Amino acid sequence: MLLKLDLGDARPLHEQVAGAIRRAVAEGECVPGDKLPPARELSRALGVNTNTVLRGLRALRDEGVLEFRRGRGITVATDAGTRAELVDRVRQLIADAARSGYSRNDLVDLIRGMS
């Protein structure tokens, strides 16, 4: 898995780490069941602090993209590809809505009105 961060990006580094892994999963570079390298190894490869990588990994765990298993490390969750793709699309929708002057609450109300 080859991850790169854009130091010119305004987003916090932990969000960039999570986004890079999310993209790798969505594009099939990492498939369900794949084991990720240890956080220390990822942090060295990316040139960022280990805690930054851990924060990004925890966010992906909370989204259901990654599974943390004591003694087995971090693996890509079973339904991670679908979930990662959906999370990316939702993030893009939120950004598009913000550019159009809609708040998150406006967006939620719009979605609720469709069901």
Side-chain angles (χ1 to χ4, degrees):
M1 172 172 54
L2 180 63
L3 302 177
K4 292 183 183 178
L5 301 182
D6 179 5
L7 299 179
D9 191 333
R11 291 180 303 152
L13 289 173
H14 70 276
E15 287 180 14
Q16 290 185 51
V17 169
I21 295 170
R22 200 180 291 114
R23 246 185 325 281
V25 171
E27 293 175 1
E29 190 177 332
C30 295
V31 296
D34 278 358
K35 187 173 177 181
L36 267 59
R40 282 189 186 149
E41 199 174 302
L42 284 173
S43 70
R44 276 193 301 267
L46 295 171
V48 296
N49 186 288
T50 303
N51 289 323
T52 300
V53 171
L54 286 170
R55 189 170 176 190
L57 293 173
R58 280 189 217 109
L60 293 172
R61 177 199 58 200
D62 295 345
E63 291 174 13
V65 175
L66 298 178
E67 295 175 345
F68 288 32
R69 296 184 180 176
R70 187 174 299 276
R72 293 188 188 163
I74 302 170
T75 57
V76 178
T78 304
D79 65 344
T82 305
R83 189 170 182 89
E85 186 178 329
L86 181 60
V87 168
D88 264 350
R89 291 189 345 218
V90 169
R91 287 182 192 279
Q92 186 60 48
L93 178 61
I94 292 168
D96 291 345
R99 280 192 295 277
S100 297
Y102 292 96
S103 70
R104 287 182 183 204
N105 289 336
D106 294 335
L107 192 55
V108 168
D109 291 342
L110 233 161
I111 292 169
R112 283 190 178 135
M114 293 184 158
S115 16

